[in-house]
């Protein structure tokens, strides 16, 4: 019952959801528009920050990771992944630098909360929301919220690591220093569905029933 190797698959086919995605999609069908499965991130930056380079960085991350530009379409009650073409990303900038500190803090907290509780339509493919808040000449807050169907807490560490590497490279006028990904989440979903069926699935189900 050992697992087979995971390999890239053709995108010219219906791409299934992983079991975890299927669960989240089903819950969304029961309760559409809920923010219960949002994955929020808020990071404070101290120092010079270029919004244009930040846009370039997020654009590259979205290009690299197909899951960040995936939507979930339904046909005859069955959900599939559909990967959309990569497009430039522009992060909205809200300038609060002219406000008094107390009002600035209240406005920033409200903006972050609104971002964290923004709802998503799984069929559109826009399953993340980013925002840059300017507090001062060298003080910013970057807020990003993603639906759990395309991200999780562990993924946030990957996101921030790539942000740091790519931003530093683009700031120096260099190309991306990150290698292209050999596997994407859709490859995992196909691998999981192909492996966990028949005798293998029965074996695992039997274990948990016992």
């Amino acid at each position: 019952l050992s697992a087979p190797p995971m390999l890239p698959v053709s995108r010219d086919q219906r791409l299934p959801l992983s079991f975890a995605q299927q669960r989240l999609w089903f819950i969304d069908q029961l309760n559409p528009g809920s923010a219960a499965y949002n994955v929020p991130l808020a990071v404070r930056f101290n120092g010079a920050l270029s919004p244009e380079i930040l846009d370039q960085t997020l654009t590259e991350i979205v290009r690299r990771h197909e899951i960040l530009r995936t939507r979930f379409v339904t046909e005859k009650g069955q959900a599939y992944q559909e990967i959309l073409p990569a497009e430039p990303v522009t992060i909205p900038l809200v300038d609060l630098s002219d406000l008094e500190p107390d009002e600035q803090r209240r406005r920033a907290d409200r903006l972050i909360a609104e971002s964290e509780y923004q709802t998503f339509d799984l069929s559109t493919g826009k399953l993340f929301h980013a925002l840059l808040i300017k507090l001062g000449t060298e003080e910013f807050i970057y807020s990003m919220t993603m639906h759990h169907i395309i991200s999780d807490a562990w993924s946030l560490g990957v996101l921030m690591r790539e942000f740091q590497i790519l931003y530093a490279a683009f700031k120096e006028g260099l190309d991306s220093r990150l290698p292209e990904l050999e596997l994407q989440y859709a490859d995992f979903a196909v691998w999981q569905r192909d492996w966990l069926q028949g005798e293998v699935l029965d074996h695992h189900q039997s274990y948990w029933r016992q």
Side-chain angles (χ1 to χ4, degrees), residues 5 23 39 43-44 47 58 64-65 69-70 77 82 115 130-131 140 147 153 157-158 167 169-170 190-191 193 204 208:
R23 174 177 61 87
V39 180
V43 180
R44 182 181 292 267
L58 184 56
R64 282 173 49 77
H65 296 275
R69 45 188 171 90
T70 294
E82 184 177 299
S115 176
L131 177 67
F140 297 84
H147 194 283
V158 177
Y167 186 92
F170 294 151
V190 172
W191 169 85
R193 290 287 184 171
H204 285 279
W208 288 108

Side-chain angles (χ1 to χ4, degrees), residues 27-105:
I27 292 173
D28 186 76
Q29 299 301 298
L30 294 176
N31 187 22
S34 170
Y37 287 92
N38 285 1
V39 180
L41 170 72
V43 180
R44 182 181 292 267
F45 291 94
N46 292 307
L49 183 70
S50 167
E52 292 76 18
I53 296 178
L54 199 65
D55 289 347
Q56 184 183 4
T57 299
L58 184 56
T59 295
E60 173 62 8
I61 289 174
V62 173
R63 185 201 66 80
R64 282 173 49 77
H65 296 275
E66 292 177 346
I67 191 64
L68 294 177
R69 45 188 171 90
T70 294
R71 70 185 188 123
F72 299 85
V73 296
T74 307
E75 184 176 318
K76 297 180 180 180
Q78 181 67 45
Y80 301 95
Q81 300 189 57
E82 184 177 299
I83 301 166
L84 302 175
E87 296 181 348
V89 178
T90 301
I91 304 170
L93 172 64
V94 179
D95 190 346
L96 304 180
S97 58
D98 291 337
L99 299 179
E100 294 296 324
D102 288 344
E103 178 62 18
Q104 189 181 77
R105 184 168 56 253

Side-chain angles (χ1 to χ4, degrees), residues 184-205:
Q184 299 275 347
Y185 192 85
D187 300 313
F188 164 77
V190 172
W191 169 85
Q192 185 188 58
R193 290 287 184 171
D194 287 346
W195 178 47
L196 291 179
Q197 57 179 311
E199 180 184 357
V200 175
L201 183 59
D202 290 342
H203 173 77
H204 285 279
Q205 288 180 330

Side-chain angles (χ1 to χ4, degrees), residues 117-132:
Y117 285 95
Q118 174 161 330
T119 58
F120 298 102
D121 180 348
L122 301 189
S123 67
T124 66
K126 180 66 174 179
L127 299 182
F128 68 87
H129 175 259
L131 177 67
L132 184 63

